Amino acid sequence: MGENRPDGVSGPGFLHGQIERELAAAIGAEHVSREPVELQQQAADWSWVSKYLQYKGLEVPAPDFAVRPGSTAEVERVVQIASDYKVPVITRGGGSGTQGGTFAPYGGISLDLGRLNAIVDLDEESLVVTAQAGLEGPVLEQTLNEKGLTLAHYPGSYHLGATLGGYVAARGSGVVSTKYGKAEDMVLQVEAVVPPGRTVKTLPVPSHASGPDLLQTFVGSEGTLGVITELSMRLDPLPEARAFLSFSFPDVFAGVEAGRRIMTSRLRPSVIRLYDTADSVKLKDWVGTPFTGNLMVVMCDGDQALVDYETAAITAVAESAGGTSLGPDVGRIWWEGKYEPYAKGKLPQPPLMYGTFDTVARFRDIPRIYRAKKEAIESQFGDVGARYTAHFSHWFPWGAMIYDRFYIDEPPADPAEAIALHDRLWDVGVEASIANGGTINEHHGVGLKLGRFMRTQYGTGFELMKGLKAAWDPDGIMNPGKLGFGPPSIGRV
């Protein structure tokens, strides 16, 4: 937002001081900060670039203000002030994203929803919970489990601060999404604040016959259209029983075919995870599964009779596709250790360079996407020792998603060269996905990192999206630079 004096009383910093005073009057001075350390914390996320900049002692693109409103009414006031001064607003949930979604390249206001963390209503008759967007998943889950219920959304970021608003804003997936759906399938209603500071609420159920679906316009919008402040989510009963299966396959493509047959037979396991040889080695190191090779783990849950039927049927299907049963223990070990890959000290960290792709496609396209990406990464970047690993972790009636990564053990020491190499790897990987029937991502969101691919993915449809953005947010202040929507219309103040 331009140069400012620390006191904000005179000179170029006066405008900053004026905005700070108005924000303090709106939500309380104790909930407004301009401390540089806090601003850096607000901007940081779990993306490689964020972690790398911190590792190098460099600054993450940060906001000018950090605010923590305590109600939807206070969010309204913050957005009104931002609209009055044409100041960017960057919504922050738990900061567990991986796409640079909390970066503030144009400065502005980081709107931290951590104080919006209440359960508003628990409708046990309809199995629906309404809660504020800043509520962390494990906190909600504890309350639900005490009543025999669950919000069956367990993402890898579950213990890294992930919030309900973040689940929906980034179209998140959890480990049991194959049966229970993604966050976009679970959300029934949202309340959101849009510029210039108005609150809208979608219908109490997803819109089926009442025109275009306003709800799903907010889903996946990553703060670029408004600030989701409250959500109603579908719940499920805690399952009576769980059973685990595991299989080895002669190659990863036989495993993909087994998964395809399971899903097109309309069986409904809660988990299918298929690891290629390289990823199964990581799994053994991180979780302790006693097998390396092309590994599939399966979990079925629900009523005991249903579980018994599905495990028998899935075993027959997997074996018909060339699978060899490894018994239940490998799957059980995986389930009990499913968050271990995200534990402190196990997540990859700089100076190692890494990037987590995620793409989704129809079954017929999955094998060639895997081949194309592995070949592109390991051949085009063989001179820097690039490695490629993958697993297939979310399955649909029509296809599956690939969760794949590149690794470079010794990236360039120069930050500019390292970040340029990182971006080239992303260019090659994403382009290989799109060229072979995939998408730019599946559940990590788009953020700043993948925005440059949106036009390639959507073609002329992206111009319609930009038109919607311009209509809802004419000044472009809502999380500018994300989803490929570009800078705020008026630039930095």
Side-chain angles (χ1 to χ4, degrees):
M1 287 183 58
E3 277 187 37
N4 65 86
R5 290 174 51 144
D7 55 18
V9 172
S10 63
F14 182 82
L15 182 58
H16 285 75
Q18 179 69 28
I19 294 171
E20 182 179 13
R21 290 188 292 274
E22 292 193 28
L23 290 170
I27 69 171
E30 68 274 24
H31 302 303
V32 179
S33 176
R34 292 173 65 192
E35 290 298 320
V37 171
E38 184 166 359
L39 297 178
Q40 282 293 304
Q41 292 171 345
Q42 287 285 307
D45 69 355
W46 281 84
S47 65
W48 178 82
V49 169
S50 179
K51 295 298 182 184
Y52 179 75
L53 290 174
Q54 293 173 80
Y55 166 75
K56 285 288 190 178
L58 302 172
E59 291 188 346
V60 177
D64 302 287
F65 310 91
V67 303
R68 292 184 172 85
S71 67
T72 297
E74 290 188 354
V75 173
E76 276 193 354
R77 283 295 297 127
V78 172
V79 175
Q80 286 166 3
I81 292 167
S83 295
D84 288 344
Y85 289 98
K86 307 297 188 285
V87 174
V89 174
I90 304 94
T91 304
R92 180 182 177 87
S96 61
T98 61
Q99 311 294 55
T102 53
F103 284 8
Y106 306 102
I109 300 169
S110 175
L111 199 158
D112 187 325
L113 297 179
R115 292 177 62 215
L116 275 70
N117 58 9
I119 297 174
V120 177
D121 178 61
L122 180 54
D123 178 357
E124 295 185 64
E125 187 173 3
S126 308
L127 294 189
V128 175
V129 66
T130 301
Q132 292 179 308
L135 181 63
E136 293 187 14
V139 177
L140 172 62
E141 190 68 7
Q142 182 176 350
T143 297
L144 296 176
N145 289 175
E146 290 169 358
K147 297 180 178 294
L149 301 172
T150 180
L151 176 64
H153 184 75
Y154 317 127
S157 56
Y158 196 62
H159 294 294
L160 301 178
T163 61
L164 296 192
Y167 289 176
V168 171
R171 296 189 179 275
S173 279
V175 295
V176 294
S177 66
T178 297
K179 178 174 181 176
Y180 294 97
K182 298 174 61 180
E184 64 203 61
D185 304 307
M186 297 177 176
V187 63
L188 304 180
Q189 182 180 36
V190 300
E191 171 188 270
V193 176
V194 299
R198 301 168 293 177
T199 298
V200 297
K201 204 162 193 173
T202 64
L203 300 180
V205 297
S207 179
H208 291 286
S210 303
D213 192 351
L214 189 62
L215 168 65
Q216 287 295 328
T217 305
F218 283 111
V219 172
S221 60
E222 299 184 35
T224 62
L225 299 178
V227 182
I228 297 174
T229 55
E230 187 176 292
L231 310 93
S232 294
M233 307 287 289
R234 185 202 79 219
L235 302 176
D236 286 279
L238 280 172
E240 172 191 329
R242 290 190 178 108
F244 300 92
L245 304 168
S246 58
F247 305 92
S248 65
F249 290 91
D251 57 50
V252 73
F253 305 109
V256 170
E257 173 60 14
R260 185 195 71 81
R261 293 184 190 181
I262 292 167
M263 297 307 295
T264 57
S265 296
R266 299 307 184 240
L267 296 164
R268 295 188 64 207
S270 52
V271 174
I272 305 176
R273 292 178 82 93
L274 172 66
Y275 296 82
D276 72 3
T277 300
D279 232 26
S280 72
V281 171
K282 285 194 307 182
L283 192 68
K284 182 177 182 179
D285 291 342
W286 289 352
V287 178
T289 46
F291 176 83
T292 58
N294 298 289
L295 170 67
M296 176 183 284
V297 296
V298 178
M299 183 179 82
C300 297
D301 65 7
D303 175 86
Q304 185 66 61
L306 174 63
V307 169
D308 291 344
Y309 168 78
E310 286 191 326
T311 52
I314 288 170
T315 297
V317 170
E319 291 178 344
S320 76
T324 300
S325 177
L326 302 173
D329 290 345
V330 178
R332 185 178 296 109
I333 291 168
W334 171 82
W335 175 256
E336 292 172 353
K338 60 184 176 296
Y339 293 122
E340 278 301 306
Y342 306 94
K344 187 176 182 180
K346 291 189 177 180
L347 279 170
Q349 297 285 342
L352 175 72
M353 180 180 290
Y354 56 90
T356 304
F357 302 112
D358 55 315
T359 191
V360 63
R362 298 180 188 180
F363 285 121
R364 71 180 182 188
D365 298 321
I366 290 293
R368 74 168 183 260
I369 290 173
Y370 175 87
R371 289 188 177 98
K373 292 180 79 174
K374 183 175 178 63
E375 194 280 331
I377 295 297
E378 295 185 346
S379 66
Q380 294 188 41
F381 298 93
D383 59 329
V384 290
R387 294 176 284 118
Y388 176 89
T389 72
H391 63 266
F392 305 77
S393 51
H394 307 285
W395 299 72
F396 306 92
W398 40 264
M401 71 82 63
I402 307 177
Y403 185 109
D404 45 353
R405 274 188 182 151
F406 64 78
Y407 296 92
I408 295 179
D409 294 318
E410 298 182 7
D414 178 74
E417 291 181 21
I419 292 174
L421 173 61
H422 169 267
D423 285 357
R424 289 200 304 275
L425 281 151
W426 275 94
D427 289 343
V428 168
V430 171
E431 287 166 6
S433 291
I434 294 174
N436 290 281
T439 59
I440 67 174
N441 74 316
E442 199 272 341
H443 66 268
H444 283 126
V446 175
L448 182 64
K449 183 166 72 179
L450 302 184
R452 65 187 185 275
F453 302 111
M454 289 286 280
R455 181 174 283 103
T456 302
Q457 176 169 270
Y458 284 104
T460 55
F462 186 59
E463 298 308 314
L464 297 178
M465 291 185 182
K466 290 177 67 178
L468 175 63
K469 164 74 169 172
W472 283 30
D473 179 22
D475 294 318
I477 65 170
M478 303 306 297
N479 211 6
K482 316 303 164 52
L483 270 66
F485 288 144
S489 302
I490 38 69
R492 291 185 65 160
V493 175

